[in-house]
Amino acid sequence: MTSLHTALLQSSGRPGDVAHNLRVLGDAARSAAATGAGLLVCPELFLTGYAIGGDVHRLAEPADGDSARAVGEIAAEHGIAVLYGYPERAGHDDPDSAAVYNSAQLIGPDGARLANYRKTHLFGCFEREWFTPGERAVVQAELSGVRIGVLICYDVEFPENVRAHALAGTDLLLVPTAQMHPFQFVAESVIPVRAFESQMYIAYVNRVGQEGEFEFVGLSCLAGPDGVVRTRAGRGEQLVRADVDAAFLKESRAENPYLDDRRPELYGPLT
């Protein structure tokens, strides 16, 4: 495992305008790559916007659709991996009848698709109306010697999800999010604790501003296995960066043996 310089794109783009959001992503990829970043992480549903109602189904695409190819071209052009959120239509089924998932896809620096994750824990009436929950808890990929895992927003608020990733060997957990007021304590407090208790890095990347009834709070961060935040965005559009330090992660895991000290035989009632 090696270190990975990681960039977090805190932006809501322009809801409903995929072409514009791809341009924003491309500009961010160029800027991040110029500083040596090997990975760019975008927010939940970045390509389309979050509060877009019925347009969720209209703008949904299969995992290998036009937008995936466009992001692949951006990644390959700048030599940087990209994790982006989008509404995923199941396969190439009829758009009017196909299931739609709140998904996040990781594209490698050569433009190849590395992983696709479907949000398993849907938040609130809005998401339950428009999306189908995913069924796979742990999705991973290898990037520059780092084992990457993916969750989306509400998923990370369930400690079981993060612990499942820890037990599967995730080094860096990517969490594109649409965290809204008044739940900013998740970004400020929960994420650093999750990183510490499961001994991993967590990149939590949020939307900003008002979309319909939702006010997104920003505060994107990269937290380390010591519970210390390496970089923190404010409340506006911002691109921030920090390192995922392989040597430090190894040392931290040796000093904080939570995973070794578990007693799974006592945890049966949890399930």
Side-chain angles (χ1 to χ4, degrees), residues 149-163:
V150 186
L151 293 176
I152 299 175
C153 198
Y154 194 40
D155 290 329
V156 80
E157 296 175 37
F158 294 82
E160 302 89 341
N161 279 343
V162 184
R163 182 51 56 85

Side-chain angles (χ1 to χ4, degrees), residues 7-85:
L8 318 181
L9 173 60
Q10 179 168 285
S11 172
S12 289
R14 184 181 296 164
D17 191 339
V18 173
H20 173 83
N21 297 336
L22 284 169
R23 289 193 293 272
V24 172
L25 192 158
D27 290 343
R30 181 182 303 106
S31 296
T35 66
L39 171 64
L40 172 67
V41 187
C42 303
E44 182 176 4
L45 294 172
F46 177 72
L47 284 189
T48 60
Y50 183 88
I52 58 175
D55 280 347
V56 164
H57 281 255
R58 180 178 67 84
L59 296 175
E61 298 183 26
D64 60 352
D66 291 342
S67 291
R69 288 189 287 274
V71 176
E73 292 172 0
I74 291 170
E77 178 183 356
H78 301 293
I80 187 171
V82 177
L83 186 285
Y84 68 98

Side-chain angles (χ1 to χ4, degrees), residues 164-215:
H165 269 277
L167 294 174
T170 293
D171 300 313
L172 169 60
L173 184 62
L174 308 182
V175 188
T177 188
Q179 186 59 264
M180 56 199 70
H181 177 81
F183 304 112
Q184 48 265 36
F185 66 89
V186 174
E188 294 170 335
S189 301
V190 173
I191 297 305
V193 170
R194 289 284 178 272
F196 179 69
E197 68 190 6
S198 281
Q199 287 298 294
M200 62 176 63
Y201 284 89
I202 300 181
Y204 187 77
V205 188
N206 200 10
R207 306 179 66 81
V208 291
Q210 196 79 29
E211 281 185 51
E213 63 185 289
F214 306 112
E215 178 190 349

